[in-house]
Coordinates of all heavy atoms in Angstrom, one line a residue:
M206 N 258.8 -9.9 33.0 CA 258.5 -8.5 32.7 C 257.0 -8.4 32.2 O 256.6 -9.2 31.4 CB 259.4 -8.0 31.6 CG 259.2 -6.6 31.3 SD 260.4 -5.8 30.2 CE 259.7 -6.2 28.7
Q207 N 256.3 -7.4 32.7 CA 254.9 -7.2 32.3 C 254.9 -6.5 30.9 O 255.7 -5.7 30.6 CB 254.2 -6.4 33.3 CG 254.0 -7.1 34.6 CD 253.2 -6.2 35.6 OE1 253.3 -5.0 35.5 NE2 252.5 -6.8 36.5
N208 N 253.9 -7.0 30.1 CA 253.7 -6.3 28.8 C 253.0 -5.0 28.9 O 253.3 -4.1 28.1 CB 252.9 -7.3 27.9 CG 253.7 -8.5 27.5 OD1 254.9 -8.5 27.3 ND2 253.0 -9.6 27.5
I209 N 252.1 -4.9 29.8 CA 251.4 -3.6 30.1 C 251.7 -3.2 31.5 O 251.5 -3.9 32.4 CB 249.9 -3.8 29.8 CG1 249.7 -4.2 28.4 CG2 249.2 -2.5 30.2 CD1 248.2 -4.4 28.0
T210 N 252.2 -1.9 31.6 CA 252.5 -1.4 32.9 C 251.6 -0.3 33.3 O 251.2 0.5 32.5 CB 254.0 -0.8 32.9 OG1 254.9 -1.8 32.4 CG2 254.4 -0.3 34.2
I211 N 251.2 -0.4 34.6 CA 250.3 0.7 35.2 C 251.1 1.4 36.2 O 251.6 0.9 37.2 CB 249.1 0.0 35.9 CG1 248.3 -0.8 34.9 CG2 248.2 1.1 36.5 CD1 247.2 -1.6 35.5
N212 N 251.3 2.7 35.9 CA 252.1 3.6 36.8 C 251.1 4.5 37.6 O 250.3 5.2 37.0 CB 253.0 4.5 36.0 CG 254.1 3.7 35.3 OD1 254.6 2.8 35.9 ND2 254.5 4.2 34.2
Y213 N 251.2 4.4 38.9 CA 250.3 5.2 39.7 C 251.0 6.6 40.0 O 252.1 6.6 40.4 CB 250.0 4.5 41.0 CG 249.6 3.1 40.8 CD1 250.4 2.0 40.9 CD2 248.3 2.8 40.4 CE1 250.0 0.7 40.6 CE2 247.8 1.5 40.2 CZ 248.7 0.5 40.3 OH 248.3 -0.8 40.0
K214 N 250.2 7.6 39.8 CA 250.7 9.0 40.0 C 249.7 9.7 40.9 O 248.6 9.3 41.1 CB 250.9 9.7 38.7 CG 252.0 9.1 37.8 CD 252.3 9.9 36.6 CE 253.5 9.3 35.9 NZ 254.1 10.2 35.0
V215 N 250.1 10.9 41.3 CA 249.3 11.7 42.2 C 248.0 12.1 41.5 O 246.9 12.0 42.1 CB 250.1 12.9 42.7 CG1 249.1 13.8 43.5 CG2 251.2 12.5 43.6
H216 N 248.1 12.5 40.3 CA 247.0 13.1 39.5 C 246.3 12.1 38.6 O 245.7 12.5 37.6 CB 247.3 14.3 38.8 CG 247.8 15.4 39.7 ND1 246.9 16.1 40.5 CD2 249.0 16.0 40.0 CE1 247.6 17.0 41.3 NE2 248.8 16.9 40.9
G217 N 246.5 10.8 38.8 CA 245.9 9.8 37.9 C 246.8 8.6 37.7 O 247.8 8.4 38.4
V218 N 246.5 7.8 36.6 CA 247.2 6.6 36.3 C 247.7 6.6 34.9 O 246.9 7.0 34.0 CB 246.2 5.4 36.6 CG1 246.9 4.1 36.2 CG2 245.7 5.4 38.0
D219 N 248.9 6.3 34.7 CA 249.4 6.1 33.3 C 249.4 4.6 33.0 O 249.9 3.8 33.8 CB 250.9 6.6 33.2 CG 250.9 8.1 33.2 OD1 249.9 8.8 32.9 OD2 252.0 8.7 33.4
I220 N 249.0 4.2 31.8 CA 249.0 2.8 31.3 C 249.9 2.8 30.1 O 249.6 3.6 29.2 CB 247.6 2.3 31.0 CG1 246.7 2.5 32.2 CG2 247.7 0.9 30.6 CD1 245.2 2.2 31.9
I221 N 250.9 1.9 30.1 CA 251.9 1.9 29.0 C 252.0 0.5 28.5 O 252.2 -0.5 29.3 CB 253.2 2.4 29.4 CG1 253.1 3.8 30.0 CG2 254.2 2.4 28.3 CD1 254.3 4.3 30.8
C222 N 251.9 0.3 27.1 CA 252.1 -1.0 26.5 C 253.6 -1.1 26.2 O 254.1 -0.3 25.3 CB 251.3 -1.2 25.3 SG 251.6 -2.8 24.4
R223 N 254.4 -2.0 26.7 CA 255.8 -2.1 26.4 C 256.0 -2.7 25.1 O 257.1 -2.7 24.6 CB 256.5 -2.9 27.5 CG 256.5 -2.1 28.8 CD 257.2 -2.9 29.9 NE 257.2 -2.3 31.1 CZ 258.3 -1.8 31.7 NH1 259.5 -2.0 31.2 NH2 258.2 -1.2 32.9
H224 N 255.0 -3.3 24.5 CA 255.2 -4.0 23.2 C 255.2 -3.0 22.1 O 256.0 -3.1 21.2 CB 254.1 -5.1 23.1 CG 254.3 -6.0 21.9 ND1 253.6 -5.8 20.7 CD2 255.1 -7.0 21.7 CE1 254.0 -6.7 19.9 NE2 254.9 -7.5 20.4
C225 N 254.2 -2.1 22.1 CA 254.1 -1.2 20.9 C 254.3 0.3 21.3 O 254.3 1.2 20.5 CB 252.8 -1.3 20.2 SG 251.3 -0.8 21.2
G226 N 254.3 0.6 22.6 CA 254.5 2.0 23.1 C 253.2 2.8 23.2 O 253.2 4.0 23.5
N227 N 252.1 2.1 23.1 CA 250.8 2.8 23.2 C 250.6 3.2 24.7 O 251.1 2.5 25.6 CB 249.7 1.8 22.8 CG 248.4 2.4 22.4 OD1 248.4 3.6 22.2 ND2 247.4 1.6 22.2
F228 N 250.0 4.3 25.0 CA 249.8 4.7 26.4 C 248.5 5.6 26.5 O 248.0 6.2 25.6 CB 251.0 5.5 26.9 CG 251.1 6.9 26.3 CD1 250.6 8.0 27.0 CD2 251.7 7.1 25.1 CE1 250.7 9.3 26.5 CE2 251.8 8.4 24.6 CZ 251.3 9.5 25.3
D229 N 248.0 5.5 27.8 CA 246.9 6.4 28.2 C 247.4 7.1 29.4 O 248.1 6.5 30.3 CB 245.7 5.6 28.6 CG 244.8 5.3 27.4 OD1 244.9 6.0 26.4 OD2 243.9 4.4 27.5
S230 N 247.0 8.4 29.6 CA 247.3 9.1 30.8 C 246.1 10.0 31.1 O 245.2 10.1 30.3 CB 248.6 10.0 30.5 OG 248.3 11.0 29.6
P231 N 246.2 10.7 32.3 CA 245.1 11.6 32.7 C 244.9 12.7 31.7 O 243.7 13.2 31.5 CB 245.5 12.1 34.0 CG 246.5 11.1 34.5 CD 247.2 10.5 33.3
S232 N 245.9 13.1 31.0 CA 245.7 14.2 30.0 C 245.1 13.7 28.7 O 244.5 14.5 28.0 CB 247.1 14.9 29.7 OG 248.0 13.9 29.2
S233 N 245.2 12.5 28.3 CA 244.6 11.9 27.2 C 243.2 11.3 27.6 O 243.0 11.2 28.8 CB 245.4 10.8 26.5 OG 245.5 9.7 27.3
G234 N 242.4 10.9 26.7 CA 241.1 10.3 27.1 C 241.4 9.0 27.8 O 242.2 8.2 27.3
F235 N 240.9 8.8 29.0 CA 241.2 7.6 29.8 C 240.6 6.3 29.2 O 239.5 6.3 28.8 CB 240.7 7.8 31.2 CG 241.3 6.8 32.1 CD1 242.6 6.8 32.5 CD2 240.5 5.8 32.7 CE1 243.2 5.8 33.3 CE2 241.0 4.8 33.5 CZ 242.3 4.8 33.8
L236 N 241.4 5.3 29.0 CA 241.1 4.0 28.4 C 240.6 4.2 27.0 O 239.6 3.5 26.6 CB 240.1 3.3 29.3 CG 240.7 2.6 30.6 CD1 239.6 1.9 31.4 CD2 241.9 1.7 30.3
T237 N 241.2 5.1 26.2 CA 240.9 5.1 24.8 C 241.7 4.2 24.0 O 241.4 3.8 22.9 CB 241.0 6.6 24.3 OG1 242.4 7.0 24.6 CG2 240.0 7.5 25.0
H238 N 242.9 3.8 24.5 CA 243.8 3.0 23.8 C 243.9 1.5 24.4 O 244.6 0.7 23.9 CB 245.2 3.6 23.8 CG 245.3 4.9 23.1 ND1 245.3 6.1 23.8 CD2 245.2 5.2 21.8 CE1 245.3 7.1 22.9 NE2 245.2 6.6 21.7
F239 N 243.2 1.3 25.5 CA 243.2 0.0 26.2 C 241.7 -0.3 26.5 O 240.8 0.5 26.5 CB 243.9 0.1 27.5 CG 245.4 0.3 27.3 CD1 245.9 1.6 27.2 CD2 246.3 -0.7 27.1 CE1 247.3 1.8 26.9 CE2 247.6 -0.5 26.9 CZ 248.1 0.8 26.8
R240 N 241.5 -1.6 26.7 CA 240.2 -2.1 27.0 C 240.3 -3.1 28.1 O 241.2 -4.0 28.2 CB 239.6 -2.8 25.8 CG 238.2 -3.4 26.0 CD 237.6 -3.9 24.7 NE 238.4 -4.9 24.1 CZ 238.5 -5.1 22.8 NH1 237.7 -4.4 22.0 NH2 239.3 -6.1 22.3
L241 N 239.3 -3.1 29.1 CA 239.2 -4.0 30.1 C 238.3 -5.2 29.6 O 237.2 -4.9 29.1 CB 238.6 -3.4 31.4 CG 239.5 -2.6 32.2 CD1 238.7 -1.9 33.3 CD2 240.6 -3.4 32.9
E242 N 238.8 -6.4 29.8 CA 238.1 -7.6 29.4 C 238.0 -8.6 30.5 O 239.0 -8.7 31.3 CB 238.7 -8.2 28.1 CG 238.8 -7.4 26.9 CD 239.6 -8.0 25.8 OE1 240.3 -9.0 26.0 OE2 239.4 -7.6 24.7
G243 N 237.0 -9.4 30.5 CA 237.0 -10.6 31.4 C 237.2 -10.2 32.9 O 238.0 -10.8 33.5
T244 N 236.5 -9.2 33.3 CA 236.6 -8.9 34.7 C 236.0 -10.0 35.6 O 234.9 -10.4 35.4 CB 235.9 -7.5 35.1 OG1 234.6 -7.6 34.6 CG2 236.6 -6.4 34.4
G245 N 236.8 -10.5 36.5 CA 236.3 -11.6 37.3 C 236.4 -11.2 38.8 O 236.5 -10.0 39.1
K246 N 236.3 -12.1 39.7 CA 236.3 -11.9 41.1 C 237.6 -11.4 41.6 O 237.7 -10.5 42.5 CB 235.9 -13.1 41.8 CG 235.6 -12.9 43.3 CD 235.1 -14.2 43.9 CE 234.9 -14.0 45.4 NZ 234.3 -15.2 46.0
H247 N 238.7 -11.9 41.1 CA 240.1 -11.6 41.6 C 241.0 -10.9 40.6 O 242.0 -10.4 41.0 CB 240.8 -12.8 42.1 CG 240.0 -13.5 43.2 ND1 239.9 -13.0 44.4 CD2 239.3 -14.7 43.1 CE1 239.2 -13.9 45.2 NE2 238.8 -14.9 44.4
S248 N 240.6 -10.8 39.3 CA 241.4 -10.2 38.3 C 240.6 -9.8 37.1 O 239.4 -10.0 37.0 CB 242.5 -11.2 37.9 OG 241.9 -12.3 37.2
A249 N 241.3 -9.1 36.2 CA 240.8 -8.6 34.9 C 241.9 -8.7 33.9 O 243.1 -8.8 34.2 CB 240.2 -7.2 35.0
V250 N 241.5 -8.6 32.6 CA 242.4 -8.6 31.5 C 242.4 -7.2 30.9 O 241.4 -6.7 30.6 CB 242.1 -9.6 30.4 CG1 243.0 -9.5 29.3 CG2 242.2 -11.0 31.0
L251 N 243.6 -6.6 30.8 CA 243.7 -5.3 30.2 C 244.4 -5.5 28.8 O 245.5 -6.1 28.8 CB 244.6 -4.4 31.1 CG 244.7 -2.9 30.7 CD1 243.4 -2.2 30.7 CD2 245.7 -2.2 31.6
R252 N 243.7 -5.1 27.7 CA 244.2 -5.3 26.4 C 244.6 -4.0 25.7 O 243.8 -3.1 25.7 CB 243.2 -6.1 25.6 CG 243.7 -6.5 24.2 CD 242.8 -7.4 23.5 NE 242.4 -8.6 24.2 CZ 243.2 -9.7 24.2 NH1 244.3 -9.7 23.5 NH2 242.8 -10.8 24.9
C253 N 245.7 -4.0 25.0 CA 246.1 -2.9 24.2 C 245.3 -3.0 22.8 O 245.3 -4.0 22.2 CB 247.6 -2.9 23.9 SG 248.2 -1.6 22.7
L254 N 244.7 -1.9 22.5 CA 243.9 -1.9 21.2 C 244.7 -1.8 20.0 O 244.2 -2.1 18.9 CB 242.8 -0.8 21.3 CG 241.7 -1.0 22.4 CD1 240.8 0.2 22.4 CD2 241.0 -2.3 22.1
N255 N 246.0 -1.4 20.1 CA 246.8 -1.2 19.0 C 247.5 -2.6 18.5 O 247.3 -3.0 17.4 CB 247.9 -0.2 19.3 CG 248.8 0.1 18.1 OD1 248.2 0.2 17.0 ND2 250.0 0.4 18.3
C256 N 248.1 -3.3 19.5 CA 248.8 -4.5 19.1 C 248.2 -5.7 19.7 O 248.7 -6.8 19.5 CB 250.3 -4.4 19.6 SG 250.5 -4.4 21.4
K257 N 247.1 -5.6 20.4 CA 246.3 -6.7 21.0 C 247.0 -7.5 22.1 O 246.6 -8.5 22.5 CB 245.8 -7.7 19.9 CG 245.1 -7.0 18.8 CD 243.9 -6.3 19.2 CE 243.1 -5.7 18.0 NZ 242.4 -4.5 18.3
T258 N 248.1 -6.9 22.6 CA 248.8 -7.5 23.8 C 247.9 -7.4 25.0 O 247.2 -6.4 25.2 CB 250.1 -6.7 24.0 OG1 250.9 -6.8 22.9 CG2 250.9 -7.3 25.2
S259 N 247.9 -8.4 25.8 CA 247.1 -8.4 27.0 C 247.9 -8.7 28.3 O 248.9 -9.3 28.2 CB 245.9 -9.3 26.9 OG 246.4 -10.7 26.8
E260 N 247.4 -8.3 29.4 CA 248.0 -8.5 30.7 C 246.9 -8.7 31.7 O 245.9 -8.0 31.8 CB 248.9 -7.3 31.1 CG 249.7 -7.5 32.3 CD 250.9 -8.4 32.1 OE1 251.5 -8.4 31.0 OE2 251.2 -9.2 33.0
T261 N 247.1 -9.7 32.5 CA 246.1 -10.0 33.6 C 246.5 -9.1 34.8 O 247.7 -9.1 35.2 CB 246.1 -11.4 34.1 OG1 245.8 -12.3 32.9 CG2 245.2 -11.7 35.2
I262 N 245.6 -8.3 35.3 CA 245.9 -7.4 36.4 C 245.0 -7.8 37.6 O 243.9 -8.3 37.5 CB 245.6 -5.9 36.0 CG1 244.1 -5.7 35.6 CG2 246.5 -5.5 34.9 CD1 243.7 -4.3 35.4
P263 N 245.6 -7.7 38.8 CA 244.8 -8.1 40.0 C 243.7 -7.1 40.3 O 243.6 -6.0 39.8 CB 245.9 -8.0 41.1 CG 246.9 -7.0 40.6 CD 246.9 -7.2 39.1
R264 N 242.8 -7.6 41.2 CA 241.6 -6.8 41.5 C 242.0 -5.4 42.1 O 241.3 -4.4 41.9 CB 240.8 -7.6 42.5 CG 239.6 -6.9 43.0 CD 238.6 -6.7 41.9 NE 237.4 -6.0 42.4 CZ 236.3 -6.1 41.9 NH1 236.0 -7.0 40.9 NH2 235.3 -5.4 42.3
S265 N 243.1 -5.3 42.9 CA 243.5 -4.1 43.5 C 243.8 -3.0 42.4 O 243.5 -1.9 42.5 CB 244.7 -4.3 44.4 OG 245.8 -4.8 43.7
A266 N 244.5 -3.4 41.3 CA 244.8 -2.5 40.2 C 243.5 -2.1 39.5 O 243.4 -1.0 39.1 CB 245.8 -3.2 39.2
L267 N 242.6 -3.0 39.4 CA 241.3 -2.7 38.7 C 240.5 -1.7 39.6 O 239.9 -0.8 39.0 CB 240.5 -4.0 38.6 CG 239.1 -3.9 38.0 CD1 239.2 -3.3 36.5 CD2 238.4 -5.2 38.0
D268 N 240.6 -1.8 40.9 CA 239.9 -0.8 41.7 C 240.5 0.6 41.5 O 239.8 1.6 41.5 CB 240.0 -1.2 43.2 CG 239.2 -2.5 43.5 OD1 238.3 -2.8 42.7 OD2 239.5 -3.1 44.6
I269 N 241.8 0.6 41.4 CA 242.5 1.9 41.2 C 242.2 2.5 39.9 O 241.9 3.7 39.7 CB 244.0 1.8 41.4 CG1 244.4 1.5 42.9 CG2 244.8 3.0 40.9 CD1 245.8 1.1 43.1
L270 N 242.1 1.7 38.8 CA 241.7 2.1 37.5 C 240.3 2.7 37.5 O 240.0 3.7 36.9 CB 241.8 1.0 36.5 CG 243.2 0.6 36.0 CD1 243.1 -0.6 35.1 CD2 243.9 1.8 35.4
T271 N 239.4 2.0 38.2 CA 238.0 2.4 38.3 C 237.9 3.8 39.0 O 237.2 4.7 38.5 CB 237.2 1.4 39.1 OG1 237.3 0.1 38.4 CG2 235.7 1.8 39.1
R272 N 238.6 4.0 40.1 CA 238.6 5.3 40.8 C 239.2 6.4 39.9 O 238.7 7.5 39.9 CB 239.4 5.2 42.1 CG 238.5 4.7 43.2 CD 239.3 4.8 44.6 NE 239.5 3.4 45.0 CZ 240.7 2.9 45.2 NH1 241.7 3.6 45.2 NH2 240.8 1.6 45.6
A273 N 240.3 6.1 39.2 CA 240.9 7.1 38.3 C 240.0 7.5 37.1 O 239.9 8.6 36.8 CB 242.2 6.5 37.7
R274 N 239.2 6.5 36.6 CA 238.3 6.8 35.5 C 237.1 7.6 36.0 O 236.6 8.5 35.3 CB 237.8 5.5 34.9 CG 237.0 5.7 33.7 CD 236.7 4.4 33.0 NE 236.1 4.7 31.8 CZ 235.7 3.7 30.9 NH1 235.8 2.5 31.2 NH2 235.1 4.0 29.8
A275 N 236.7 7.4 37.2 CA 235.6 8.2 37.8 C 235.9 9.6 38.2 O 235.1 10.5 38.1 CB 235.0 7.5 39.0
G276 N 237.2 9.8 38.5 CA 237.7 11.1 38.9 C 238.0 12.1 37.9 O 237.7 12.4 36.9

């Protein structure tokens, strides 16, 4: 089971920490409760700023997060 879940929706992306319940959505400030760390060639680390839980996400998810943040 993943500690941090990324839900893809029509109008944006929801990010939910299953450990503490922290979340970001298009209606809240995007990536105000999470931080991208260690972006590499094939993956990145997404960290919850509340409980410090982290999850490695693939490059495809990182591309979707980047597009959602720009839009």
Side-chain angles (χ1 to χ4, degrees):
M206 181 171 90
Q207 293 182 332
N208 293 321
I209 297 176
T210 304
I211 301 172
N212 292 326
Y213 308 100
K214 296 188 173 194
V215 174
H216 297 291
V218 178
D219 287 340
I220 305 170
I221 304 164
C222 177
R223 292 181 182 244
H224 189 259
C225 70
N227 206 9
F228 73 95
D229 273 344
S230 68
S232 60
S233 68
F235 191 70
L236 286 179
T237 55
H238 299 103
F239 294 88
R240 178 175 57 210
L241 281 171
E242 299 177 341
T244 55
K246 187 174 182 178
H247 301 290
S248 65
V250 175
L251 187 63
R252 183 172 306 276
C253 175
L254 295 176
N255 188 36
C256 66
K257 308 300 183 210
T258 300
S259 64
E260 186 73 36
T261 301
I262 59 172
R264 179 66 185 209
S265 59
L267 180 61
D268 292 341
I269 290 170
L270 287 177
T271 304
R272 274 188 249 124
R274 188 172 187 180

